[in-house]
C-alpha cells in the first residue's frame, strides 16, 4: 500500500494489491482490499455507514466510486458492502449496493444504487442505472435504452438473461454472415 494515500478511514490492503497514490478512502468504517486487486487513480471508497469488503483480483478503473451509504450510524453500522472477486469497475462507475458477486462487469458510468444486489457473471451496461433495492440475478445483463420517438424521450433500463442475449447475438451474427457470403459469391460470379 502506498503511504501517501488520502485516508480518513481505516484501510486494510492485501500485500499483492496495487492502490494508486491518489485513491480516497473516507468514512468511519474499515475498508478491506483483497489480494491482487488493482485500484486506479482518483477512485473513492466511502465507508459512510458500514464497512466495505473487496475480494481478490478486482479492477477499479479511474474515478470509480464504491460507497456504503445504506442506513446505519457509527454506533449501529449498516450491513457490510461486499464485493466478490474478479470484478471490473470501469471508468466513472458507481456502486452503492449491498453485494456484488464474482466475475461481474460494471461498465463506464453505470450506477448500482443503495440496496441493490448483483449476482455472479453479470454486466451492468454503459450508463445503466439499477434503482434502489433491485436485484440482478446471476448471468444477467442490465443495459440502458434511450430512444427519442414522437417528440418524447424515453430512458429505461432493461434486464435480460445473458444467455438469451448471447443466443440472440449469435443468431444475428449468423444471419449477417450468410448475407455476406451471398454477396461475396455474387461478386465472384459476376
Amino acid at each position: 500500500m502506498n503511504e501517501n494515500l488520502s485516508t480518513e478511514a481505516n484501510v486494510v490492503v492485501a500485500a499483492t494489491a496495487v492502490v494508486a497514490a491518489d485513491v480516497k478512502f473516507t468514512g468511519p468504517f474499515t475498508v478491506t482490499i483483497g489480494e491482487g486487486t488493482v485500484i486506479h487513480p482518483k477512485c473513492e471508497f466511502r465507508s459512510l455507514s458500514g464497512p466495505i469488503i473487496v475480494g481478490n483480483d478486482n479492477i477499479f478503473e479511474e474515478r470509480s466510486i464504491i460507497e456504503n451509504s445504506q442506513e446505519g450510524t457509527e454506533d449501529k453500522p449498516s450491513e457490510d458492502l461486499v464485493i466478490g472477486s474478479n470484478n471490473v469497475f470501469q471508468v466513472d462507475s458507481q456502486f452503492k449496493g449491498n453485494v456484488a458477486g464474482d466475475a461481474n462487469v460494471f461498465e463506464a458510468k453505470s450506477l448500482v444504487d443503495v440496496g441493490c444486489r448483483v449476482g455472479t457473471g453479470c454486466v451492468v451496461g454503459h450508463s445503466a442505472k439499477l434503482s434502489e433495492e433491485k436485484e440482478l440475478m446471476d448471468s444477467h445483463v442490465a443495459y440502458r435504452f434511450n430512444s427519442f420517438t414522437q417528440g418524447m424521450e424515453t430512458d429505461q433500463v432493461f434486464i435480460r438473461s445473458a444467455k438469451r442475449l448471447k443466443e440472440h447475438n449469435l443468431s444475428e451474427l449468423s444471419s449477417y454472415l450468410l448475407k455476406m457470403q451471398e454477396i461475396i459469391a455474387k461478386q465472384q460470379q459476376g
Side-chain angles (χ1 to χ4, degrees):
M1 181 168 113
N2 190 316
E3 300 303 319
N4 297 325
L5 292 176
S6 170
T7 59
E8 296 174 20
N10 182 22
V11 182
V12 178
V13 178
T16 60
V18 177
V19 180
D22 62 353
V23 172
K24 290 184 183 175
F25 295 92
T26 57
F29 300 98
T30 301
V31 177
T32 304
I33 307 297
E35 297 287 339
T37 292
V38 177
I39 305 175
H40 290 220
K42 302 202 183 316
C43 290
E44 294 184 43
F45 289 77
R46 303 171 183 162
S47 60
L48 305 177
S49 61
I52 297 173
I53 300 169
V54 176
N56 300 332
D57 302 312
N58 292 289
I59 298 173
F60 296 89
E61 293 180 358
E62 290 80 357
R63 297 182 307 277
S64 296
I65 296 172
I66 308 300
E67 180 177 303
N68 190 344
S69 58
Q70 303 162 60
E71 290 187 34
T73 63
E74 266 190 78
D75 297 331
K76 187 179 178 196
S78 68
E79 63 182 272
D80 297 352
L81 184 161
V82 179
I83 295 172
S85 297
N86 301 302
N87 294 291
V88 176
F89 293 81
Q90 293 182 353
V91 176
D92 288 321
S93 60
Q94 295 184 47
F95 187 88
K96 300 177 182 182
N98 291 16
V99 174
D102 299 326
N104 297 299
V105 177
F106 300 88
E107 292 185 354
K109 298 185 180 184
S110 63
L111 169 63
V112 176
D113 219 339
V114 176
C116 292
R117 302 174 84 76
V118 176
T120 292
C122 297
V123 175
V124 179
H126 180 276
S127 298
K129 177 183 178 184
L130 283 184
S131 301
E132 289 188 28
E133 307 297 325
K134 281 213 168 139
E135 182 169 356
L136 192 58
M137 306 284 278
D138 290 352
S139 301
H140 276 70
V141 176
Y143 60 95
R144 182 175 176 208
F145 180 74
N146 188 336
S147 67
F148 193 82
T149 55
Q150 299 177 358
M152 293 177 51
E153 186 174 359
T154 60
D155 192 3
Q156 300 173 324
V157 172
F158 291 97
I159 297 174
R160 299 283 188 259
S161 164
K163 183 178 179 185
R164 268 196 350 210
L165 275 176
K166 185 177 179 182
E167 289 169 355
H168 175 74
N169 287 343
L170 284 173
S171 172
E172 290 292 316
L173 182 58
S174 294
S175 175
Y176 173 77
L177 289 174
L178 286 173
K179 288 178 185 176
M180 291 305 295
Q181 285 175 341
E182 290 172 9
I183 291 171
I184 291 170
K186 285 180 184 178
Q187 287 177 345
Q188 289 174 348
Q189 290 175 354

